[in-house]
Every structure is written in C-alpha cells, then in structure tokens.
Amino acid sequence: MSKVINFNAREFRFDETCQSLDGNEVNAGMKAYVTMSFGNAEVWEIGDWGWTWSQIRRDIRLEKNTDYVFRFSMEGGVCDTDDAVAIAHIAPKRDLEDRYSYILDHNKFMPVICKRDGDGLLRIFELPFNTGEDEEWIIYLVAQHAVTRYFAPVDNSLLEKLEDITYDEWWKESREQIDTELSNIGLPDFLQKIKTFEKIIDKL
C-alpha cells in the first residue's frame, strides 16, 4: 500500500529558483486562510490573470524504493480563454529532469473527487510515484494565467454535502451561463452604444 503525503500549506514556500523564459514576472500569490463553503482552510493561492509563472515547492526526505501518493485539493486554475496552466512536478533533487509531471488543468489528469463548490469546482488529486533509489525529493505546484488555490484534502464528511460534477459538465455549464448573460445585456445594442460614444468623442 502506498504511503500518503497530504498537502500542508506551511510546508511549502515560493520557489526562489523559479524563472520565466519569456521575461514575465514570477511568483504571484500568497499563503492565507480563506473561508470556503465547507469551512476555513489554509491555502496557497498562486498565479494571476496575466502570465506570471508562479511556483511553490516543498523539499522532503522520503524512503527509498517506496510507493507514495501526494494528495491535495485544488480550486481555480481555470480561465475564460481556456489556456490556463496548472501542473504538479515531483522530482528527485539529484536530477530535476527525472521527474514525474502531472497536468492538472482542464481534465488532463483525472481527480479522485470532483465537486461543485458554489460557482467553482473543487478537485482532489492523488498523484502516485515511486522513489526508487532517491531519498531527497522536491514537490512543485505551478499556476499560470489563472488564480489557483492549493490546499489540504477536504474531509469526506464535508465533501458529502457538495454535488458531484465532472470538469466537462462544469465547463459546459459555465460557458452556457456566460452566453446567457451576454445575451441578456443585449450585446449588439451595447456595441452600437460604444460606437456612438466614440463618434461623440471624435467630435470633441
């Protein structure tokens, strides 16, 4: 049976080695207590709506040749343009390229639990890996182009109060809601008003 590593916000920090290949800033976010539908939680909220590459890390010593599961909750990591990034890397410290990488955005890696949380989506992930001959490891959690919250797994008794929903179902509903809202405000009329306003400005 695999040994479980549960996310603990106090054991993570911003990754000081984080660099951006395109010159954008790095490491937006903070560690904080927030109130959610199931109660208060200590979270790392990282990333922004721009292109700030944000990364937190935990250095951890593990047993050799052992199966582990890294377990955590995640909210956010989604943007309207559908191009947000959320990734977890689990890497031996001796060679960061010899890592396990899990793509968490969209539905690219299936969570073990997926629940509707208000207007948002709560997902709990369990990431399996084996330590081989390495004892020194680093766990990285990444976000870009969307605010993403990482926090400890939510207790099952609290999860039972939330509705089951898949990512695809939630995404479809959110798109339909946005389309309805745009339709309700009369977008063509709104655009026409903008053009009229621009003509007035040009005459000033």
Side-chain angles (χ1 to χ4, degrees), residues 70 88-92 98-100 102 127 129 137-140:
F70 175 48
H89 300 297
I90 302 175
D98 188 22
R99 62 178 180 258
Y100 295 83
Y102 306 86
L127 310 183
F129 66 102
W137 288 77
I138 306 174
I139 300 174
Y140 298 97

Side-chain angles (χ1 to χ4, degrees), residues 109-145:
F109 189 87
M110 295 297 292
V112 293
I113 296 173
C114 194
K115 297 278 190 177
R116 185 197 306 278
D117 185 19
D119 294 331
L121 190 68
L122 167 64
R123 290 177 278 178
I124 296 179
F125 289 95
E126 293 183 352
L127 310 183
F129 66 102
N130 184 280
T131 53
E133 292 299 314
D134 291 287
E135 293 180 304
E136 302 295 329
W137 288 77
I138 306 174
I139 300 174
Y140 298 97
L141 295 172
V142 178
Q144 186 184 45
H145 202 38

Side-chain angles (χ1 to χ4, degrees), residues 21-50:
L21 298 178
D22 52 13
N24 284 313
E25 295 182 359
V26 296
N27 287 340
M30 63 180 179
K31 180 177 64 174
Y33 282 98
V34 298
T35 300
M36 302 184 181
S37 63
F38 48 81
N40 295 329
E42 189 173 15
V43 309
W44 264 102
E45 185 173 275
I46 64 173
D48 58 22
W49 302 111

